[in-house]
Amino acid sequence: MGDPAGIGAEIIVKALADKVLRAAARFHILGLAACLEAAAVRAGISPFWWRIQHGSRLAETVTVHDAVVFDYPEFSAFLDTAAAANPGPSKAGGEASFRFVEDAISAAQLPRENPLHAVAIVTAPISKTSWDLAGRSRYPGHTELLAERFRTKRTAMMFFGPTLRVALVTVHIPLMEIRDVLTIGRVFDTIDLGHEACRAAGIGAPRIAVCGLNPHAGEDGLMGDEEARIIKPAIQLASDNGIDARGPYAADAVFLDAAKGKFDLVVAMYHDQGLIPVKLLDRERAVNVTVGLPGGAIRTSPAHGTAFDIAGKNLASPGSMHAAIELAIKMFHVEHPTP
């Protein structure tokens, strides 16, 4: 459900109010039932879920329903705090949202024959500040936590939208530190993982454009040597491994080419280089995907944040959450086609 003070409950309720979407899978919602119920009342939506306390011995018996809320009453005191009345980052919100994600990961790691096994995780937005207040500052976000819990060193953050697909080489680090962490291996890994993610989404032979780090992709070394020293060797390594990767391209031009259909994926060197075009062109339908999780594990998320400023006002659009759920289902069926 994400941070209880954010729009997570609202976008979940609104997205799953779509009966066609709800019929496409069974949904286990980890969060606070009271938040979901309040969101439904504000939106004029009749509750469509069964509620059970998480950890209950009866949990396995109710999973036959298409939507079950696994409630966390130990966090219900949050609803009586000032943070609930005035949405914003809080220790309580961080503790609750971190627990929801931890339990979702545990469900994904259960044996497939277990009725509580999750074939995919869809996460509503969390607040990094709330996680920090709750003592979880070692995890800048979902991606880093997922990588640790799934014991994998090769992960990347990738965004799928109707117009653009973008993978990020670096994510939640200060801009001034990017030069120190950029390596041939890190760029190659992102190209490779993005290539596999496109294939998992049904794109047979992905065409990949790789951005430069500097203006004009370095202008032949006049504006930096990272393109020649790091990015070009990574592209060559990808090509040697049968990946259609090209570049490095100037970031101020390549996204337009991708939007016109010339490329299936753009690999960006840092967060805002890739996220500004995604949020400009695909904000309501963009989906954040953690690529590189082992065993075919799937995690998707809306491409926006907690939106504390509109939380509780019935103003949040469920578009990105709806798209995140649809993509998770599609990725599962591509990985496990029906005979």
Side-chain angles (χ1 to χ4, degrees), residues 231-262:
I231 301 174
K232 283 185 179 179
I235 294 171
Q236 184 61 52
L237 183 59
S239 296
D240 292 344
N241 281 273
I243 298 172
D244 183 3
R246 313 171 202 174
Y249 295 106
D252 62 357
V254 72
F255 289 100
L256 181 59
D257 286 338
K260 290 180 178 179
K262 185 175 179 180

PDB file of all heavy atoms in Angstrom, residues 231-262:
ATOM      1  N   ILE A 231      31.516   4.580 -21.774  1.00  0.00           N
ATOM      2  CA  ILE A 231      30.237   4.245 -22.407  1.00  0.00           C
ATOM      3  C   ILE A 231      30.420   3.485 -23.713  1.00  0.00           C
ATOM      4  O   ILE A 231      29.755   2.469 -23.961  1.00  0.00           O
ATOM      5  CB  ILE A 231      29.386   5.519 -22.595  1.00  0.00           C
ATOM      6  CG1 ILE A 231      29.138   6.174 -21.222  1.00  0.00           C
ATOM      7  CG2 ILE A 231      28.063   5.181 -23.267  1.00  0.00           C
ATOM      8  CD1 ILE A 231      28.441   7.517 -21.292  1.00  0.00           C
ATOM      9  N   LYS A 232      31.330   3.942 -24.582  1.00  0.00           N
ATOM     10  CA  LYS A 232      31.545   3.241 -25.853  1.00  0.00           C
ATOM     11  C   LYS A 232      32.025   1.797 -25.642  1.00  0.00           C
ATOM     12  O   LYS A 232      31.519   0.883 -26.312  1.00  0.00           O
ATOM     13  CB  LYS A 232      32.529   4.018 -26.723  1.00  0.00           C
ATOM     14  CG  LYS A 232      31.928   5.241 -27.396  1.00  0.00           C
ATOM     15  CD  LYS A 232      32.923   5.904 -28.331  1.00  0.00           C
ATOM     16  CE  LYS A 232      32.297   7.113 -29.030  1.00  0.00           C
ATOM     17  NZ  LYS A 232      33.276   7.789 -29.925  1.00  0.00           N
ATOM     18  N   PRO A 233      32.978   1.544 -24.738  1.00  0.00           N
ATOM     19  CA  PRO A 233      33.361   0.141 -24.510  1.00  0.00           C
ATOM     20  C   PRO A 233      32.208  -0.715 -24.005  1.00  0.00           C
ATOM     21  O   PRO A 233      32.115  -1.906 -24.344  1.00  0.00           O
ATOM     22  CB  PRO A 233      34.463   0.260 -23.450  1.00  0.00           C
ATOM     23  CG  PRO A 233      35.039   1.623 -23.647  1.00  0.00           C
ATOM     24  CD  PRO A 233      33.870   2.484 -24.040  1.00  0.00           C
ATOM     25  N   ALA A 234      31.309  -0.141 -23.201  1.00  0.00           N
ATOM     26  CA  ALA A 234      30.156  -0.897 -22.711  1.00  0.00           C
ATOM     27  C   ALA A 234      29.209  -1.231 -23.859  1.00  0.00           C
ATOM     28  O   ALA A 234      28.662  -2.343 -23.925  1.00  0.00           O
ATOM     29  CB  ALA A 234      29.422  -0.095 -21.644  1.00  0.00           C
ATOM     30  N   ILE A 235      29.015  -0.294 -24.771  1.00  0.00           N
ATOM     31  CA  ILE A 235      28.165  -0.538 -25.940  1.00  0.00           C
ATOM     32  C   ILE A 235      28.779  -1.623 -26.815  1.00  0.00           C
ATOM     33  O   ILE A 235      28.073  -2.521 -27.310  1.00  0.00           O
ATOM     34  CB  ILE A 235      27.953   0.764 -26.740  1.00  0.00           C
ATOM     35  CG1 ILE A 235      27.157   1.785 -25.916  1.00  0.00           C
ATOM     36  CG2 ILE A 235      27.245   0.483 -28.065  1.00  0.00           C
ATOM     37  CD1 ILE A 235      27.090   3.169 -26.539  1.00  0.00           C
ATOM     38  N   GLN A 236      30.098  -1.571 -26.992  1.00  0.00           N
ATOM     39  CA  GLN A 236      30.776  -2.586 -27.800  1.00  0.00           C
ATOM     40  C   GLN A 236      30.637  -3.957 -27.166  1.00  0.00           C
ATOM     41  O   GLN A 236      30.392  -4.961 -27.849  1.00  0.00           O
ATOM     42  CB  GLN A 236      32.258  -2.229 -27.950  1.00  0.00           C
ATOM     43  CG  GLN A 236      33.024  -3.181 -28.856  1.00  0.00           C
ATOM     44  CD  GLN A 236      32.477  -3.195 -30.278  1.00  0.00           C
ATOM     45  OE1 GLN A 236      32.324  -2.144 -30.902  1.00  0.00           O
ATOM     46  NE2 GLN A 236      32.144  -4.377 -30.795  1.00  0.00           N
ATOM     47  N   LEU A 237      30.768  -4.015 -25.834  1.00  0.00           N
ATOM     48  CA  LEU A 237      30.616  -5.282 -25.115  1.00  0.00           C
ATOM     49  C   LEU A 237      29.206  -5.837 -25.311  1.00  0.00           C
ATOM     50  O   LEU A 237      29.020  -7.048 -25.521  1.00  0.00           O
ATOM     51  CB  LEU A 237      30.907  -5.073 -23.629  1.00  0.00           C
ATOM     52  CG  LEU A 237      30.872  -6.319 -22.727  1.00  0.00           C
ATOM     53  CD1 LEU A 237      31.878  -7.351 -23.196  1.00  0.00           C
ATOM     54  CD2 LEU A 237      31.145  -5.917 -21.284  1.00  0.00           C
ATOM     55  N   ALA A 238      28.206  -4.953 -25.266  1.00  0.00           N
ATOM     56  CA  ALA A 238      26.820  -5.388 -25.490  1.00  0.00           C
ATOM     57  C   ALA A 238      26.650  -5.917 -26.916  1.00  0.00           C
ATOM     58  O   ALA A 238      26.026  -6.959 -27.139  1.00  0.00           O
ATOM     59  CB  ALA A 238      25.862  -4.233 -25.228  1.00  0.00           C
ATOM     60  N   SER A 239      27.223  -5.197 -27.879  1.00  0.00           N
ATOM     61  CA  SER A 239      27.127  -5.635 -29.274  1.00  0.00           C
ATOM     62  C   SER A 239      27.787  -6.991 -29.471  1.00  0.00           C
ATOM     63  O   SER A 239      27.278  -7.849 -30.197  1.00  0.00           O
ATOM     64  CB  SER A 239      27.786  -4.596 -30.191  1.00  0.00           C
ATOM     65  OG  SER A 239      27.107  -3.367 -30.136  1.00  0.00           O
ATOM     66  N   ASP A 240      28.943  -7.192 -28.798  1.00  0.00           N
ATOM     67  CA  ASP A 240      29.642  -8.474 -28.895  1.00  0.00           C
ATOM     68  C   ASP A 240      28.807  -9.615 -28.328  1.00  0.00           C
ATOM     69  O   ASP A 240      29.046 -10.790 -28.664  1.00  0.00           O
ATOM     70  CB  ASP A 240      30.972  -8.396 -28.145  1.00  0.00           C
ATOM     71  CG  ASP A 240      31.975  -7.461 -28.815  1.00  0.00           C
ATOM     72  OD1 ASP A 240      31.766  -7.111 -29.989  1.00  0.00           O
ATOM     73  OD2 ASP A 240      32.965  -7.066 -28.152  1.00  0.00           O
ATOM     74  N   ASN A 241      27.846  -9.272 -27.459  1.00  0.00           N
ATOM     75  CA  ASN A 241      26.965 -10.277 -26.857  1.00  0.00           C
ATOM     76  C   ASN A 241      25.618 -10.368 -27.563  1.00  0.00           C
ATOM     77  O   ASN A 241      24.655 -10.895 -27.008  1.00  0.00           O
ATOM     78  CB  ASN A 241      26.761  -9.975 -25.378  1.00  0.00           C
ATOM     79  CG  ASN A 241      27.928 -10.424 -24.517  1.00  0.00           C
ATOM     80  OD1 ASN A 241      27.974 -11.558 -24.074  1.00  0.00           O
ATOM     81  ND2 ASN A 241      28.894  -9.537 -24.318  1.00  0.00           N
ATOM     82  N   GLY A 242      25.557  -9.826 -28.777  1.00  0.00           N
ATOM     83  CA  GLY A 242      24.359  -9.975 -29.593  1.00  0.00           C
ATOM     84  C   GLY A 242      23.241  -9.002 -29.298  1.00  0.00           C
ATOM     85  O   GLY A 242      22.102  -9.216 -29.725  1.00  0.00           O
ATOM     86  N   ILE A 243      23.548  -7.920 -28.600  1.00  0.00           N
ATOM     87  CA  ILE A 243      22.536  -6.917 -28.265  1.00  0.00           C
ATOM     88  C   ILE A 243      22.625  -5.766 -29.242  1.00  0.00           C
ATOM     89  O   ILE A 243      23.724  -5.263 -29.531  1.00  0.00           O
ATOM     90  CB  ILE A 243      22.726  -6.413 -26.820  1.00  0.00           C
ATOM     91  CG1 ILE A 243      22.551  -7.557 -25.823  1.00  0.00           C
ATOM     92  CG2 ILE A 243      21.749  -5.279 -26.495  1.00  0.00           C
ATOM     93  CD1 ILE A 243      22.907  -7.191 -24.394  1.00  0.00           C
ATOM     94  N   ASP A 244      21.502  -5.319 -29.747  1.00  0.00           N
ATOM     95  CA  ASP A 244      21.461  -4.194 -30.686  1.00  0.00           C
ATOM     96  C   ASP A 244      21.498  -2.891 -29.887  1.00  0.00           C
ATOM     97  O   ASP A 244      20.472  -2.266 -29.633  1.00  0.00           O
ATOM     98  CB  ASP A 244      20.193  -4.269 -31.536  1.00  0.00           C
ATOM     99  CG  ASP A 244      20.119  -3.153 -32.584  1.00  0.00           C
ATOM    100  OD1 ASP A 244      21.075  -2.366 -32.681  1.00  0.00           O
ATOM    101  OD2 ASP A 244      19.086  -3.079 -33.286  1.00  0.00           O
ATOM    102  N   ALA A 245      22.702  -2.488 -29.470  1.00  0.00           N
ATOM    103  CA  ALA A 245      22.897  -1.261 -28.694  1.00  0.00           C
ATOM    104  C   ALA A 245      23.718  -0.283 -29.519  1.00  0.00           C
ATOM    105  O   ALA A 245      24.721  -0.658 -30.134  1.00  0.00           O
ATOM    106  CB  ALA A 245      23.602  -1.575 -27.378  1.00  0.00           C
ATOM    107  N   ARG A 246      23.297   0.986 -29.492  1.00  0.00           N
ATOM    108  CA  ARG A 246      23.968   1.998 -30.308  1.00  0.00           C
ATOM    109  C   ARG A 246      24.192   3.261 -29.478  1.00  0.00           C
ATOM    110  O   ARG A 246      23.503   3.513 -28.514  1.00  0.00           O
ATOM    111  CB  ARG A 246      23.120   2.332 -31.536  1.00  0.00           C
ATOM    112  CG  ARG A 246      22.598   1.120 -32.275  1.00  0.00           C
ATOM    113  CD  ARG A 246      21.585   1.510 -33.337  1.00  0.00           C
ATOM    114  NE  ARG A 246      20.717   0.385 -33.700  1.00  0.00           N
ATOM    115  CZ  ARG A 246      19.669   0.476 -34.519  1.00  0.00           C
ATOM    116  NH1 ARG A 246      19.373   1.649 -35.068  1.00  0.00           N
ATOM    117  NH2 ARG A 246      18.928  -0.578 -34.778  1.00  0.00           N
ATOM    118  N   GLY A 247      25.148   4.081 -29.917  1.00  0.00           N
ATOM    119  CA  GLY A 247      25.426   5.332 -29.227  1.00  0.00           C
ATOM    120  C   GLY A 247      26.907   5.473 -28.941  1.00  0.00           C
ATOM    121  O   GLY A 247      27.730   4.775 -29.540  1.00  0.00           O
ATOM    122  N   PRO A 248      27.278   6.327 -28.000  1.00  0.00           N
ATOM    123  CA  PRO A 248      26.393   7.163 -27.174  1.00  0.00           C
ATOM    124  C   PRO A 248      25.826   8.345 -27.953  1.00  0.00           C
ATOM    125  O   PRO A 248      26.499   8.927 -28.785  1.00  0.00           O
ATOM    126  CB  PRO A 248      27.323   7.633 -26.046  1.00  0.00           C
ATOM    127  CG  PRO A 248      28.699   7.593 -26.646  1.00  0.00           C
ATOM    128  CD  PRO A 248      28.697   6.463 -27.611  1.00  0.00           C
ATOM    129  N   TYR A 249      24.571   8.659 -27.612  1.00  0.00           N
ATOM    130  CA  TYR A 249      23.861   9.756 -28.248  1.00  0.00           C
ATOM    131  C   TYR A 249      23.700  10.927 -27.286  1.00  0.00           C
ATOM    132  O   TYR A 249      23.644  10.754 -26.064  1.00  0.00           O
ATOM    133  CB  TYR A 249      22.466   9.301 -28.678  1.00  0.00           C
ATOM    134  CG  TYR A 249      22.445   8.245 -29.755  1.00  0.00           C
ATOM    135  CD1 TYR A 249      22.133   6.922 -29.449  1.00  0.00           C
ATOM    136  CD2 TYR A 249      22.717   8.574 -31.070  1.00  0.00           C
ATOM    137  CE1 TYR A 249      22.099   5.949 -30.438  1.00  0.00           C
ATOM    138  CE2 TYR A 249      22.685   7.597 -32.074  1.00  0.00           C
ATOM    139  CZ  TYR A 249      22.378   6.290 -31.749  1.00  0.00           C
ATOM    140  OH  TYR A 249      22.356   5.335 -32.736  1.00  0.00           O
ATOM    141  N   ALA A 250      23.590  12.109 -27.857  1.00  0.00           N
ATOM    142  CA  ALA A 250      23.291  13.295 -27.049  1.00  0.00           C
ATOM    143  C   ALA A 250      21.892  13.142 -26.456  1.00  0.00           C
ATOM    144  O   ALA A 250      20.931  12.877 -27.180  1.00  0.00           O
ATOM    145  CB  ALA A 250      23.375  14.554 -27.908  1.00  0.00           C
ATOM    146  N   ALA A 251      21.784  13.298 -25.145  1.00  0.00           N
ATOM    147  CA  ALA A 251      20.509  13.060 -24.471  1.00  0.00           C
ATOM    148  C   ALA A 251      19.435  14.060 -24.880  1.00  0.00           C
ATOM    149  O   ALA A 251      18.243  13.754 -24.784  1.00  0.00           O
ATOM    150  CB  ALA A 251      20.707  13.094 -22.955  1.00  0.00           C
ATOM    151  N   ASP A 252      19.827  15.247 -25.348  1.00  0.00           N
ATOM    152  CA  ASP A 252      18.814  16.249 -25.700  1.00  0.00           C
ATOM    153  C   ASP A 252      18.144  15.960 -27.035  1.00  0.00           C
ATOM    154  O   ASP A 252      17.210  16.657 -27.432  1.00  0.00           O
ATOM    155  CB  ASP A 252      19.418  17.657 -25.694  1.00  0.00           C
ATOM    156  CG  ASP A 252      20.540  17.845 -26.717  1.00  0.00           C
ATOM    157  OD1 ASP A 252      20.900  16.870 -27.403  1.00  0.00           O
ATOM    158  OD2 ASP A 252      21.063  18.969 -26.823  1.00  0.00           O
ATOM    159  N   ALA A 253      18.600  14.901 -27.730  1.00  0.00           N
ATOM    160  CA  ALA A 253      18.001  14.570 -29.020  1.00  0.00           C
ATOM    161  C   ALA A 253      17.465  13.147 -29.092  1.00  0.00           C
ATOM    162  O   ALA A 253      16.480  12.875 -29.774  1.00  0.00           O
ATOM    163  CB  ALA A 253      19.039  14.774 -30.137  1.00  0.00           C
ATOM    164  N   VAL A 254      18.076  12.221 -28.357  1.00  0.00           N
ATOM    165  CA  VAL A 254      17.758  10.808 -28.559  1.00  0.00           C
ATOM    166  C   VAL A 254      16.358  10.440 -28.079  1.00  0.00           C
ATOM    167  O   VAL A 254      15.720   9.531 -28.634  1.00  0.00           O
ATOM    168  CB  VAL A 254      18.822   9.927 -27.873  1.00  0.00           C
ATOM    169  CG1 VAL A 254      18.696   9.973 -26.356  1.00  0.00           C
ATOM    170  CG2 VAL A 254      18.707   8.489 -28.373  1.00  0.00           C
ATOM    171  N   PHE A 255      15.845  11.129 -27.061  1.00  0.00           N
ATOM    172  CA  PHE A 255      14.517  10.770 -26.563  1.00  0.00           C
ATOM    173  C   PHE A 255      13.432  11.065 -27.599  1.00  0.00           C
ATOM    174  O   PHE A 255      12.428  10.360 -27.671  1.00  0.00           O
ATOM    175  CB  PHE A 255      14.227  11.490 -25.249  1.00  0.00           C
ATOM    176  CG  PHE A 255      15.035  10.963 -24.100  1.00  0.00           C
ATOM    177  CD1 PHE A 255      16.164  11.626 -23.669  1.00  0.00           C
ATOM    178  CD2 PHE A 255      14.679   9.776 -23.463  1.00  0.00           C
ATOM    179  CE1 PHE A 255      16.930  11.132 -22.622  1.00  0.00           C
ATOM    180  CE2 PHE A 255      15.434   9.265 -22.426  1.00  0.00           C
ATOM    181  CZ  PHE A 255      16.571   9.949 -22.005  1.00  0.00           C
ATOM    182  N   LEU A 256      13.631  12.104 -28.401  1.00  0.00           N
ATOM    183  CA  LEU A 256      12.671  12.404 -29.465  1.00  0.00           C
ATOM    184  C   LEU A 256      12.670  11.283 -30.498  1.00  0.00           C
ATOM    185  O   LEU A 256      11.608  10.853 -30.959  1.00  0.00           O
ATOM    186  CB  LEU A 256      13.010  13.742 -30.121  1.00  0.00           C
ATOM    187  CG  LEU A 256      12.069  14.191 -31.248  1.00  0.00           C
ATOM    188  CD1 LEU A 256      10.640  14.326 -30.743  1.00  0.00           C
ATOM    189  CD2 LEU A 256      12.557  15.510 -31.848  1.00  0.00           C
ATOM    190  N   ASP A 257      13.863  10.794 -30.844  1.00  0.00           N
ATOM    191  CA  ASP A 257      13.940   9.674 -31.789  1.00  0.00           C
ATOM    192  C   ASP A 257      13.242   8.435 -31.220  1.00  0.00           C
ATOM    193  O   ASP A 257      12.540   7.721 -31.936  1.00  0.00           O
ATOM    194  CB  ASP A 257      15.407   9.336 -32.079  1.00  0.00           C
ATOM    195  CG  ASP A 257      16.083  10.360 -32.982  1.00  0.00           C
ATOM    196  OD1 ASP A 257      15.357  11.066 -33.707  1.00  0.00           O
ATOM    197  OD2 ASP A 257      17.320  10.457 -32.953  1.00  0.00           O
ATOM    198  N   ALA A 258      13.445   8.185 -29.928  1.00  0.00           N
ATOM    199  CA  ALA A 258      12.797   7.031 -29.306  1.00  0.00           C
ATOM    200  C   ALA A 258      11.284   7.200 -29.287  1.00  0.00           C
ATOM    201  O   ALA A 258      10.535   6.246 -29.520  1.00  0.00           O
ATOM    202  CB  ALA A 258      13.333   6.839 -27.893  1.00  0.00           C
ATOM    203  N   ALA A 259      10.820   8.409 -29.008  1.00  0.00           N
ATOM    204  CA  ALA A 259       9.378   8.678 -28.976  1.00  0.00           C
ATOM    205  C   ALA A 259       8.753   8.477 -30.350  1.00  0.00           C
ATOM    206  O   ALA A 259       7.569   8.140 -30.461  1.00  0.00           O
ATOM    207  CB  ALA A 259       9.118  10.094 -28.470  1.00  0.00           C
ATOM    208  N   LYS A 260       9.543   8.667 -31.400  1.00  0.00           N
ATOM    209  CA  LYS A 260       9.045   8.477 -32.766  1.00  0.00           C
ATOM    210  C   LYS A 260       9.127   7.017 -33.209  1.00  0.00           C
ATOM    211  O   LYS A 260       8.736   6.693 -34.338  1.00  0.00           O
ATOM    212  CB  LYS A 260       9.840   9.360 -33.728  1.00  0.00           C
ATOM    213  CG  LYS A 260       9.562  10.845 -33.565  1.00  0.00           C
ATOM    214  CD  LYS A 260      10.390  11.667 -34.548  1.00  0.00           C
ATOM    215  CE  LYS A 260      10.082  13.150 -34.437  1.00  0.00           C
ATOM    216  NZ  LYS A 260      10.911  13.967 -35.375  1.00  0.00           N
ATOM    217  N   GLY A 261       9.671   6.149 -32.336  1.00  0.00           N
ATOM    218  CA  GLY A 261       9.689   4.731 -32.656  1.00  0.00           C
ATOM    219  C   GLY A 261      10.991   4.187 -33.201  1.00  0.00           C
ATOM    220  O   GLY A 261      11.069   3.016 -33.582  1.00  0.00           O
ATOM    221  N   LYS A 262      12.059   5.003 -33.225  1.00  0.00           N
ATOM    222  CA  LYS A 262      13.332   4.540 -33.764  1.00  0.00           C
ATOM    223  C   LYS A 262      14.010   3.545 -32.827  1.00  0.00           C
ATOM    224  O   LYS A 262      14.752   2.672 -33.277  1.00  0.00           O
ATOM    225  CB  LYS A 262      14.252   5.734 -34.012  1.00  0.00           C
ATOM    226  CG  LYS A 262      15.563   5.374 -34.677  1.00  0.00           C
ATOM    227  CD  LYS A 262      16.377   6.621 -35.003  1.00  0.00           C
ATOM    228  CE  LYS A 262      17.708   6.253 -35.655  1.00  0.00           C
ATOM    229  NZ  LYS A 262      18.516   7.468 -35.973  1.00  0.00           N
TER     230      LYS A 262
END
